[in-house]
Amino acid sequence: GVAVSEVSAMRVSAVYACVRIIGGAIASLPIDIFRRSPTGIAERINTSHAMWWPLNEQPHARWTASAMWKWLAKSWLLRGDGFAWIQRDRLGQPIGLTPLHPATVDVENRGGRLVYFFTDPDEGKKRGVEQDDMIHLPGFGFDGVRGLSAIQWGARNSIGIALATDDFAGRFFGSGA
């Protein structure tokens, strides 16, 4: 039938509305940061942690936290995975996040740890980073490396039918019906 991709799926109003609503809901949630006390109790530390600002306000010079979380949700829903590279300073402290398109990230399992390969969108350099330097939001069906795309595995037929119906209706009514 009709070829269905993340771009064509977003032309179906129900898909667009669901992705927009879910992404907006996720983006509106605050990200609290906790540490475990010596007695084992979780203590909220929020603004005193270096990652609070990137997770809640501005992860990157060109991204707000809200835009990043919407992007990650869209990637997760339509492609099966959401990725954000954790950038660190020379001392290894996190200083920011760069959202990455899932199609540009290759993931490999090396000795039980994930390694991510991608092209740095700011510098154009190829990079490989360990799992400690990547936020990876795997979707349903995560196999230890990648999640499954809901579009590819669950909704391809129904979205394809919706796209074909829309195309047919456009041609039908455009012909003076």
Side-chain angles (χ1 to χ4, degrees), residues 109-130:
N109 182 344
R110 292 190 176 176
R113 291 188 51 83
L114 297 180
V115 180
Y116 300 85
F117 298 94
F118 60 95
T119 300
D120 181 340
D122 295 325
E123 298 178 10
K125 293 181 183 176
K126 293 275 189 191
R127 295 199 181 270
V129 299
E130 294 277 333

Side-chain angles (χ1 to χ4, degrees), residues 4 6-18 158-164 166:
V4 178
E6 71 177 289
V7 174
S8 64
M10 289 291 281
R11 291 196 324 251
V12 175
S13 59
V15 173
Y16 175 82
C18 289
S158 59
I159 292 170
I161 290 168
L163 289 168
D166 186 51

Side-chain angles (χ1 to χ4, degrees), residues 6 10 16 18-29 55 59 63-78 81-82 99 137:
E6 71 177 289
M10 289 291 281
Y16 175 82
C18 289
V19 170
R20 184 180 57 80
I21 289 168
I22 293 169
I26 290 170
S28 70
L29 298 171
L55 289 170
W63 292 79
T64 64
S66 176
M68 179 191 70
W69 288 113
K70 288 175 188 173
W71 168 262
L72 291 175
K74 176 179 127 345
S75 298
W76 172 67
L77 291 165
L78 298 176
D81 295 282
L137 305 175

